[in-house]
């Protein structure tokens, strides 16, 4: 198998081991987020008062949502909205529909949003929401009822200058349209209350692909910085949903070989690289990427351990743990998903010279274009796609440069560098307000 060359790692055992405390193997998502925050706060010698303010969320809502199901029975769902921090602007964050959603996960994702919005310098804070449910087993009518019920219950916490939801795993533009419609019943026409809505209802061109486009930009910049030739790189992507599929398409357009992709049902592999447009056609006709003619089926576990240059986990958190980290062969891991690498695995990677581009940088393209959507809604003036993509490119490259600079100057891991850049902005705004 051909592999792209990689320059010797200046950061690999580079200062990294010295700067990070050993991580426990089993942590929940909130403990992981706290661990990452604390490591950066310690490194920056962030003052105690600011740490106190940033360590826990500002507000947490847990709501009960009764839904009359199609079979006539009443089911009770639980929904969460966690508002972590808003010193830099209104709370901002997606809403996840998944059977594993719980308060801890939503808390951790809300904190990641605070750091992400600061890192790409958009004037938002951080929030996240979710409902514990399995949307794949619900009808459109049931999903609409669930979404409208949730929107009513969290209405008092939302607002164009207070808290603006967006899609995440298991939700999409249609779900945002229902939230906007429900909010509008009480408050009047308010497109800026959600982002990631259909373009026809005030959504932004380029929002659908924005997170994947950001992943492509960051992967390209990381390859450049670390002496890897993206044109000859072999790439595996776990998760072929909104983020993974767009990342696959855009990274393959750069000339890289996407040798494997997967979804919840399994993955496919092609030694010479997959034709991504054909994967889309196959997915659209069968509902999954698996069993695509001319490819070899692989499991999600096997995909993570393939002989590739770049591994992009783009599904759920906790994909790479103490159980499989030793089998990963990639030289660069780009966290398109949120929290796909546990701190224990992170540490292992660094000790082996494998670089990890953290989630708060790699997947920040989505919230960046969400910001553009919000701006367009407030100004009632639409941008064309070229402007959206151009502005996204500028912000993502600027964020990459700031993180890479700090990584090199302070000889700290990319994750700690990203947190340091973000925390500095949030801390400064906190000091100015308090
Ligand atoms: P999505 O629901 O569109 O797609 C998720 C994909 O992962 C699907 O292909 C699904 O089949 C697959 N998947 C689910 N469970 C899996 C499993 N156990 N193993 C392997 N594959 C599995 O979600 P998305 O919007 O693409 O989000 C993916 C990740 O990116 C999440 O971690 C999300 O928080 C993060 N993210 C999304 C956005 C966004 O704008 N959508 C922005 C920032 C971060």
């Amino acid at each position: 198998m051909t592999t792209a060359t990689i320059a010797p790692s200046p950061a690999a055992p580079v200062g990294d081991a010295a700067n990070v405390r050993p991580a426990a193997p089993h942590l929940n998502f909130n403990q992981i987020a706290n661990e990452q925050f604390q490591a950066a706060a310690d490194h920056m010698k962030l003052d105690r008062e600011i740490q106190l303010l940033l360590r826990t969320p500002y507000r947490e809502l847990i709501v009960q949502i009764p839904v009359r199901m199609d079979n006539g029975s009443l089911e009770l769902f639980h929904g969460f909205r966690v508002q972590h921090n808003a010193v830099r602007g209104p709370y901002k964050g997606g809403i996840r529909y998944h059977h594993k959603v719980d308060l801890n996960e939503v808390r951790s994702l809300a904190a990641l949003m605070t750091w992400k919005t600061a890192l790409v310098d958009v004037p938002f804070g951080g929030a996240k929401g979710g409902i514990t449910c399995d949307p794949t087993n619900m009808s459109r009518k049931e999903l609409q009822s669930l979404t409208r019920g949730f929107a009513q219950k969290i209405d008092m916490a939302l607002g164009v200058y207070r808290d603006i939801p967006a899609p995440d795993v298991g939700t999409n533009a249609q779900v945002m349209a229902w939230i906007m419609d429900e909010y509008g019943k009480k408050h009047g026409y308010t497109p800026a209350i959600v982002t990631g809505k259909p373009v026809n209802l005030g959504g932004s061109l380029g929002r659908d692909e924005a997170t994947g486009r950001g992943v492509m930009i960051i992967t390209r910049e990381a390859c450049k910085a670390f002496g890897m030739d993206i044109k000859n790189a072999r790439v595996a992507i776990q998760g072929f949903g909104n983020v993974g599929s767009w990342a696959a398409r855009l990274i393959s357009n750069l000339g890289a070989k996407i040798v494997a992709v997967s979804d919840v049902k399994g993955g496919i592999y092609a030694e010479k690289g997959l034709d991504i447009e054909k994967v889309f056609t196959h997915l659209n006709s069968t509902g999954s990427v698996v069993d695509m003619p001319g490819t070899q089926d692989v499991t999600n576990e096997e995909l993570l351990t393939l002989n590739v240059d770049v591994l992009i986990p783009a599904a759920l958190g906790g994909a790479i743990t103490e159980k499989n980290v030793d089998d990963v062969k990639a030289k660069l891991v780009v966290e398109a998903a949120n929290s796909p690498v546990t701190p224990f695995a992170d540490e292992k990677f660094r000790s082996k010279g494998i670089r990890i581009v953290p989630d708060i940088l790699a997947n920040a393209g989505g919230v960046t274009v969400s910001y553009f959507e919000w701006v367009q809604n407030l100004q009632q003036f639409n941008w064309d796609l070229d402007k959206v993509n151009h502005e996204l490119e500028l912000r993502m490259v600027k964020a990459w440069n700031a993180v890479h600079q700090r990584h090199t100057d302070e000889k700290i891991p990319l994750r700690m560098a990203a947190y340091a850049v973000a925390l500095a902005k949030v801390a400064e705004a906190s000091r100015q307000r308090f």
Side-chain angles (χ1 to χ4, degrees):
M1 291 187 183
T2 43
T3 49
T5 50
I6 181 167
S9 165
V14 174
D16 289 13
N19 283 317
V20 183
R21 286 170 298 124
H26 305 292
L27 298 173
N28 67 35
F29 286 117
N30 195 42
Q31 289 167 325
I32 291 176
N34 282 340
E35 180 86 19
Q36 292 167 345
F37 164 79
Q38 199 56 54
D42 290 348
H43 171 75
M44 298 166 72
K45 300 191 172 41
L46 199 62
D47 42 296
R48 192 193 72 90
E49 291 186 358
I50 300 295
Q51 287 198 33
L52 270 182
L53 290 169
L54 301 181
R55 199 175 287 131
T56 52
Y58 177 77
R59 182 186 286 130
E60 300 183 340
L61 277 181
I62 305 177
V63 298
Q64 195 188 58
I65 317 156
V67 174
R68 183 67 63 192
M69 307 300 277
D70 293 349
N71 65 7
S73 70
L74 186 83
E75 290 294 331
L76 193 69
F77 296 88
H78 287 100
F80 309 89
R81 186 72 183 168
V82 174
Q83 297 175 331
H84 177 261
N85 188 278
V87 288
R88 299 183 60 264
Y91 298 104
K92 184 86 190 83
I95 292 180
R96 180 174 289 198
Y97 287 0
H98 193 269
H99 62 280
K100 287 197 176 153
V101 162
D102 65 15
L103 183 59
N104 264 328
E105 184 183 57
V106 179
R107 264 185 195 144
S108 74
L109 293 167
L112 288 186
M113 287 305 297
T114 301
W115 318 134
K116 209 176 289 185
T117 52
L119 189 55
V120 285
D121 211 9
V122 296
F124 289 136
K128 201 80 180 187
I131 301 178
T132 318
C133 65
D134 179 2
T136 59
N137 275 326
M138 294 175 72
S139 69
R140 180 187 159 93
K141 187 166 161 268
E142 289 166 345
L143 279 174
Q144 176 162 184
S145 223
L146 178 73
T147 303
R148 288 185 183 277
F150 185 50
Q152 286 164 17
K153 299 288 170 71
I154 64 168
D155 177 271
M156 82 293 265
L158 301 183
V160 167
Y161 293 102
R162 184 174 292 271
D163 187 348
I164 307 133
D168 189 71
V169 175
T171 57
N172 54 21
Q174 177 60 73
V175 172
M176 295 306 112
W178 290 328
I179 295 177
M180 170 185 151
D181 190 69
E182 197 60 36
Y183 188 86
K185 284 181 186 167
K186 191 165 168 191
H187 305 274
Y189 174 67
T190 319
I193 192 59
V194 284
T195 57
K197 50 193 176 286
V199 172
N200 196 40
L201 294 180
S204 178
L205 293 173
R207 173 60 185 89
D208 191 43
E209 68 188 79
T211 310
R213 180 171 287 277
V215 171
M216 176 275 287
I217 294 168
I218 294 297
T219 304
R220 186 195 68 206
E221 293 302 304
C223 283
K224 213 190 300 171
F226 299 136
M228 296 170 74
D229 178 8
I230 186 91
K231 288 201 179 77
N232 290 314
R234 292 163 55 81
V235 181
I237 303 181
Q238 186 194 47
F240 203 73
N242 172 276
V243 180
S245 65
W246 273 107
R249 180 179 259 158
L250 296 168
I251 292 171
S252 86
N253 288 349
L254 295 178
K257 275 196 190 76
I258 313 295
V259 294
V261 298
S262 69
D263 58 34
V264 69
K265 294 184 180 154
I268 48 172
Y269 173 81
E271 170 66 26
K272 291 189 174 154
L274 296 160
D275 180 332
I276 297 302
E277 297 315 316
K278 284 193 180 149
V279 180
F280 272 102
T281 309
H282 178 73
L283 172 69
N284 290 337
S285 63
T286 67
S288 172
V289 298
V290 297
D291 293 333
M292 180 171 143
T295 68
Q296 200 181 314
D297 280 349
V298 288
T299 65
N300 265 294
E301 270 303 299
E302 286 164 348
L303 178 140
L304 296 171
T305 63
L306 289 170
N307 186 14
V308 293
D309 302 296
V310 183
L311 175 63
I312 305 184
L316 296 176
I320 304 171
T321 66
E322 77 282 2
K323 293 198 183 106
N324 56 2
V325 62
D326 285 327
D327 300 324
V328 173
K329 297 177 192 71
K331 303 174 184 77
L332 176 69
V333 178
V334 180
E335 292 187 329
N338 284 311
S339 305
V341 177
T342 64
F344 185 89
D346 190 279
E347 207 172 286
K348 273 271 175 147
F349 276 150
R350 280 183 279 109
S351 71
K352 290 180 174 180
I354 297 173
R355 288 176 165 104
I356 312 129
V357 182
D359 43 14
I360 58 170
L361 175 60
N363 68 33
V367 75
T368 304
V369 175
S370 273
Y371 165 58
F372 301 157
E373 182 173 329
W374 183 72
V375 166
Q376 292 172 70
N377 293 155
L378 295 181
Q379 298 185 341
Q380 298 180 32
F381 184 83
N382 296 340
W383 298 4
D384 65 24
L385 183 60
D386 283 349
K387 181 171 169 69
V388 171
N389 288 343
H390 175 68
E391 295 286 336
L392 174 64
E393 168 82 23
L394 292 180
R395 281 182 190 258
M396 294 303 293
V397 171
K398 194 172 169 199
W400 164 262
N401 287 340
V403 171
H404 185 245
Q405 186 74 50
R406 200 137 183 171
H407 160 75
T408 314
D409 289 352
E410 298 176 28
K411 295 190 175 20
I412 52 174
L414 287 166
R415 188 186 311 281
M416 190 184 277
Y419 268 77
V421 172
L423 272 173
K425 289 185 199 165
V426 180
E428 187 186 358
S430 301
R431 283 189 206 102
Q432 287 162 338
R433 277 175 176 251
F434 292 105

